[in-house]
Amino acid sequence: MKHLEVVAGIIEFGGKILCLQKNVGKYDYISYKFEFPGGKVEPGESHCQALMRELNEELAMDIKIREQDFYMTVDHSYPDFEITLHSFLCRVNDCTFTLKEHKSFIWLKKMDLLRVEWAAADLPIVKKLMDDIV
């Protein structure tokens, strides 16, 4: 089975998290689901480099990602492929971005994250974020 190494940014602004809705895709089980922005790690890239590149490509956001921003890793098997998803906390001072690949977006407080339907691989991150509410 195909295995993908991917990264995701948990973008936080003003106490809310950016949630992006996928467009229709190759697989029905992830089409239109919500996810954290990010994507595949290219050969020779660090996780931080990959996430900075992906955030720029998907959202035109220029965010500096550091290793200490690491949040958690999720291993998930979908019916047609497996992923290892490395997530990073990205607190931003400016919430402007350009939606380039996704259908829609919503900013949600951590306690409200389950108001939308998440891609299965992102759910453990969502649940940990909700558990971490202070």
Side-chain angles (χ1 to χ4, degrees):
M1 186 176 296
K2 185 176 183 176
H3 181 267
L4 302 172
E5 190 90 8
V6 296
V7 290
I10 303 161
I11 299 176
E12 187 175 357
F13 176 78
K16 293 186 177 180
I17 305 289
L18 179 60
C19 312
L20 299 179
Q21 186 180 27
K22 296 172 74 64
N23 270 306
V24 66
K26 184 176 178 181
Y27 305 112
D28 289 344
Y29 51 84
I30 54 176
S31 291
Y32 302 118
K33 299 288 195 285
F34 280 80
E35 67 178 357
F36 298 105
K40 296 180 190 98
V41 178
E42 300 293 340
E45 279 184 322
S46 70
H47 295 151
C48 294
Q49 290 168 331
L51 184 54
M52 288 187 290
R53 176 184 51 74
E54 287 287 347
L55 293 177
N56 194 297
E57 288 174 3
E58 289 184 6
L59 301 170
M61 290 183 97
D62 189 20
I63 300 175
K64 178 76 174 149
I65 312 293
R66 306 163 303 160
E67 288 297 330
Q68 57 262 40
D69 298 326
F70 174 77
Y71 188 64
M72 71 179 287
T73 295
V74 174
D75 289 303
H76 185 79
S77 295
Y78 284 110
D80 300 284
F81 62 97
E82 298 174 341
I83 68 169
T84 299
L85 172 61
H86 307 282
S87 61
F88 292 81
L89 286 172
C90 309
R91 289 185 177 91
V92 296
N93 297 319
D94 178 6
C95 67
T96 59
F97 62 91
T98 303
L99 207 59
K100 295 181 176 183
E101 297 179 12
H102 291 82
K103 177 178 174 47
S104 68
F105 71 93
I106 188 170
W107 290 93
L108 292 173
K109 291 181 180 180
K110 288 180 184 178
M111 69 179 111
D112 296 326
L113 288 173
L114 289 176
R115 284 183 34 206
V116 297
E117 191 174 354
W118 290 89
D122 291 73
L123 264 177
I125 299 168
V126 168
K127 289 178 179 174
K128 185 175 188 310
L129 285 165
M130 294 178 77
D131 287 344
D132 289 347
I133 296 172
V134 178

